[in-house]
Amino acid sequence: MALDALRPDERVEPAWDLPDHLERWSRSTGIAVEVWALPCEPLPVHIAELVHATILDVLDGLGPDGSVRCVGIALTIGAGGLRLTLSGDGLGLPSERLAYRLRVGRARFAEWGGGLSVNAVLGCGVTVSAVLPASG
């Protein structure tokens, strides 16, 4: 489904309550969160829900690890579609909890014509990338 397939009144601001949630999560875990990019334009509701659920799933999976000191988040929208990137330093191995949650997220992104991938480098961290095409 195209990112622009929903009517304007079915869109929500991309920031939603995400910055507040990230701040609370950072305080509760002691893990720094760097927001590298957020779009200014509204997102379709279902896309916003998917993106935010994915972010929360990744944070939930990285928090208990104990080795993560910083998580970076970038959400961009361009002519090619939407790209979400979350990177966490640390051990580089996703927990079983994160791996399960990302299987669910991968299926949800695929339903919308996109994809989700995990790149873990032992001792260096984990990067989760998700994409949705501009049209589908």
Side-chain angles (χ1 to χ4, degrees):
M1 171 173 249
L3 288 175
D4 57 357
L6 300 176
R7 292 188 319 267
D9 60 332
E10 294 177 320
R11 295 173 182 259
V12 296
E13 291 302 317
W16 212 15
D17 66 347
L18 189 59
D20 288 338
H21 181 83
L22 294 174
E23 184 179 329
R24 286 191 308 274
W25 182 85
S26 180
R27 277 196 316 264
S28 71
T29 62
I31 299 171
V33 175
E34 297 176 356
V35 177
W36 298 328
L38 287 177
C40 295
E41 60 193 73
L43 299 174
V45 173
H46 290 91
I47 301 297
E49 289 172 352
L50 174 58
V51 166
H52 292 124
T54 301
I55 291 170
L56 300 180
D57 285 346
V58 171
L59 293 178
D60 188 43
L62 292 177
D65 177 298
S67 69
V68 178
R69 296 178 318 260
C70 183
V71 174
I73 299 172
L75 175 60
T76 58
I77 298 176
L82 176 143
R83 177 171 294 277
L84 172 65
T85 303
L86 296 105
S87 294
D89 62 359
L91 296 177
L93 295 175
S95 68
E96 286 183 29
R97 184 179 198 173
L98 177 59
Y100 173 76
R101 287 174 176 261
L102 293 180
R103 277 197 339 252
V104 172
R106 187 175 288 122
R108 291 187 66 206
F109 271 91
E111 288 174 15
W112 290 86
L116 185 145
S117 64
V118 179
N119 183 22
V121 178
L122 186 60
C124 295
V126 175
T127 298
V128 176
S129 300
V131 295
L132 290 174
S135 61

